[in-house]
Amino acid sequence: MKPAGAVAGASLAERVRAAAEIAAEHAEAVDREGRFPHEAVDAMRAGRLLALSAPAEVGGEGASLADIAGICTTLGGACASAGMVFAMHHISLVNLLDCGMESAWHREFLTRAASEQLLFASSTTEAGVGGDLRQSICAVEADGERFNLAKNAPVISYGEEADAIFATARRDPDAPSSDQVLCVLLKDQMEIERVSTWDALGMRGTCSHGFRYKANAPQEQILPRPFADIAAESMVAASHLLWSSVWCGIASDALAKAQAFVTAEARKNPAVTPPGAPKLAETYTRLRLIEAAIRDGLARWDVMRANPDAGPTMGFALAMNALKVSVSTEALRVVDEALMICGLQAYKNSGPYSLGRHLRDIHSARLMIGNDRILAGAGQLLLVQRTAQTRRS
Amino acid sequence: MNQQIHDIILAHAGLPAGVEITDETDLYRAGMKSFASVQLMLALEEAFDIEFPEEMLNRATFRSASAIERAVSQISSATLVA
Ligand SMILES: Cc1cc2nc3c(=O)[nH]c(=O)nc-3n(C[C@H](O)[C@H](O)[C@H](O)COP(=O)(O)OP(=O)(O)OC[C@H]3O[C@@H](n4cnc5c(N)ncnc54)[C@H](O)[C@@H]3O)c2cc1C
């Protein structure tokens, strides 16, 4: 069935390709100027790519997480910032879909989001807790049927361009730091002030500025499920899968440049295999492993989602942690190896083989929830994971 | 067993001081973090000489004292039969 709003006649692949072409065209300017990839996001809207995973009944297309992941890779290869915007938006959409369908306000909001192609940002990071998703200092304060929330957020990607921000906070002022909820805050319900500017090494187009904001909104906008469950059952895994897919896109584009470079060398002198060819094969192999890891993660996601009563096991959480740590590390290696293959041509900031932007962008991967923090958590989980060797005798 | 489980929760679930829990209190909402839930689980295994199977290692198993009691009973009876 063709979704009502879809661009007449164009297949999903065609719409994605169109958005990716526009993203690629502006990627350099976005990076250089550290500005939001407006053209690419407008193209996503025009191609109706922003509510793909919502069911058709609310105006989406019922796309699977694997479909979204594939688009993240395509867009990430064209412009890493645009790909990351698409990924982060869809992570919030997964959260909304997971608990929004039961609540009248969220269903209505989903319908509006699909028809108007609203863009969602996420505000979990808070001054004082860093990248620990599962802790908040700020708290929801009930105010009759409404609530107030004030948060000091050192990073919110495209916080100024988003139509709504999904913010974590403690359930109430007396709740412990880990008893959190996720609130949908609409732009016109917030007073938001930029307190620091995102002038970063890479991912410059995500415009991940620091903000302080105050919101007042109806309590029905708070997602009905505890954030602890949302994090464990969808957000952490969806983040790691979609971020990894973007990083895979960056690595794929770097490899494509290296391959083009080696091929050009071979054309100049067909009698001799270019010196970069073996290295190219090694890098190619690494990229295949990255792709396999993502496919494995997506398959585990499907198994987990097909069995919602059991919920995610610790084994699932471990696998998602391993995915994030390995893809962020290996994708950086791919880009670094591509730089070595192309040499100076890649080091220069212009020309067909330039890889500076890729290298700077991919350097964000290991920090986006620090790998050491993730490994510390995974180390804990490994103490309880059961293998034949750890069994009590 | 119920009292012993409550004692282990108080000792290992890392709840804020002074928190009172009943059989049904949601421990995550009461402030148990995932790090503490691991310690709680290891302490339960030691105290009851059991081993939680992989499929029970999820948030639901450790959500409350009564959920834990059900899980421990289930594992203990399975071990007796085996
Ligand atoms: C491109 C990009 C976009 C982002 N967009 C958003 C956004 O839209 N919204 C949002 O809320 N956040 C966003 N973030 C923030 C991100 O989610 C993390 O919160 C952030 O990367 C963590 O920053 P930090 O390194 O200062 O934090 P911290 O988590 O404070 O970590 C500092 C350092 O300590 C290490 N560390 C921490 N804990 C441990 C531990 N237990 N054991 C060992 N080492 C540890 C970390 O690995 C890290 O090296 C974004 C980040 C990036 C890079």
Side-chain angles (χ1 to χ4, degrees):
Chain A
M1 189 188 85
K2 267 260 173 280
V7 187
S11 71
L12 179 56
E14 286 163 345
R15 289 180 278 150
V16 171
R17 200 174 317 122
E21 277 170 15
I22 292 174
E25 192 185 318
H26 298 277
E28 259 184 63
V30 162
D31 174 59
R32 192 173 50 245
E33 298 161 25
R35 67 164 178 85
F36 185 69
H38 286 289
E39 301 87 349
V41 173
D42 286 348
M44 292 174 207
R45 287 203 166 100
R48 305 201 62 78
L49 302 183
L50 294 187
L52 283 178
S53 48
E57 63 200 273
V58 293
E61 299 178 37
S64 68
L65 197 72
D67 295 331
I68 302 298
I71 299 172
C72 287
T73 300
T74 304
L75 293 173
C79 167
S81 290
M84 195 48 91
V85 171
F86 179 85
M88 292 192 281
H89 164 80
H90 276 277
I91 294 159
S92 290
L93 185 58
V94 168
N95 294 340
L96 184 62
L97 285 168
D98 256 17
C99 40
M101 297 303 279
E102 317 145 19
S103 122
W105 188 88
H106 295 99
R107 259 187 86 90
E108 183 61 40
F109 178 59
L110 257 171
T111 310
R112 206 187 114 207
S115 95
E116 297 175 23
Q117 293 286 292
L118 301 183
L119 181 65
F120 305 152
S122 161
S123 171
T124 57
T125 307
E126 184 173 10
V129 293
D132 187 354
L133 188 69
R134 288 287 293 100
Q135 296 220 50
S136 290
I137 296 171
C138 66
V140 164
E141 288 181 44
D143 171 17
E145 303 271 280
R146 301 177 70 86
F147 68 93
N148 287 309
L149 175 64
K151 188 161 180 169
N152 185 352
V155 238
I156 306 179
S157 294
Y158 53 98
E160 282 166 3
E161 289 79 8
D163 301 297
I165 295 180
F166 285 54
T168 46
R170 285 182 299 133
R171 181 179 302 277
D172 57 59
D174 298 323
S177 61
S178 60
D179 183 15
Q180 299 160 289
V181 289
L182 188 62
C183 317
V184 180
L185 308 172
L186 305 181
K187 193 151 210 184
D188 59 8
Q189 297 169 333
M190 306 176 71
E191 267 174 55
I192 183 161
E193 181 199 354
R194 195 205 283 192
V195 292
S196 61
T197 295
W198 178 253
D199 179 8
L201 188 62
M203 289 293 184
R204 294 171 54 79
T206 60
C207 295
S208 307
H209 307 305
F211 298 95
R212 239 184 245 280
Y213 57 86
K214 283 196 194 119
N216 178 276
Q219 286 192 27
E220 57 185 350
Q221 288 179 212
I222 299 172
L223 290 182
R225 295 173 61 213
F227 181 66
D229 294 349
I230 299 176
E233 284 161 31
S234 64
M235 187 167 182
V236 172
S239 301
H240 292 174
L241 285 163
L242 297 188
W243 293 350
S244 293
S245 301
V246 173
W247 301 329
C248 176
I250 301 172
S252 305
D253 198 56
L255 179 77
K257 284 183 193 274
Q259 190 170 1
F261 178 86
V262 175
T263 307
E265 295 272 284
R267 285 203 186 100
K268 278 183 225 149
N269 192 354
V272 189
T273 305
K279 188 75 180 164
L280 179 68
E282 193 185 335
T283 306
Y284 167 89
T285 306
R286 198 180 305 288
L287 184 64
R288 294 287 85 81
L289 283 177
I290 292 173
E291 289 173 354
I294 294 173
R295 264 200 307 279
D296 169 71
L298 288 165
R300 286 172 189 266
W301 166 273
D302 286 343
V303 170
M304 189 272 287
R305 304 290 283 198
N307 193 3
D309 294 337
T313 59
M314 290 189 188
F316 176 76
L318 270 168
M320 293 300 135
N321 286 340
L323 174 75
K324 192 276 170 180
V325 170
S326 60
V327 174
S328 61
T329 309
E330 294 303 306
L332 171 61
R333 288 183 69 178
V334 167
V335 180
D336 185 52
E337 287 167 356
L339 177 86
M340 289 302 289
I341 293 168
C342 304
L344 260 192
Q345 296 301 321
Y347 195 68
K348 293 196 325 193
N349 275 334
S350 58
Y353 307 114
S354 172
L355 283 171
R357 173 165 55 86
H358 297 69
L359 196 59
R360 289 182 290 101
D361 287 338
I362 200 66
H363 262 291
S364 67
R366 293 174 307 167
L367 324 181
M368 201 165 169
I369 311 277
N371 279 3
D372 289 342
R373 180 189 282 285
I374 292 180
L375 288 172
Q380 277 295 314
L381 288 180
L382 282 170
L383 295 180
V384 298
Q385 201 197 28
R386 297 308 175 223
T387 67
Q389 286 73 20
T390 61
R391 294 257 136 75
R392 298 173 78 93
S393 43
Chain B
M1 174 157 84
N2 181 282
Q3 186 54 45
Q4 204 178 347
I5 287 174
H6 275 267
D7 292 344
I8 295 172
I9 290 172
L10 287 183
H12 297 282
L15 304 180
V19 143
E20 288 189 17
I21 59 159
T22 67
D23 281 352
E24 301 307 328
T25 303
D26 184 322
L27 299 176
Y28 297 105
R29 290 198 52 178
M32 180 169 70
K33 295 172 188 153
S34 56
F35 178 79
S37 69
V38 167
Q39 294 174 323
L40 173 64
M41 189 214 109
L42 292 169
L44 288 163
E45 289 195 335
E46 192 60 26
F48 294 104
D49 195 20
I50 53 168
E51 181 172 285
F52 288 92
E54 173 83 15
E55 65 274 13
M56 286 174 90
L57 296 180
N58 55 41
R59 294 175 56 77
T61 303
F62 302 98
R63 188 173 292 282
S64 63
S66 65
I68 292 171
E69 188 167 345
R70 272 195 304 279
V72 172
S73 312
Q74 193 185 327
I75 298 167
S76 310
S77 58
T79 321
L80 288 182
V81 176

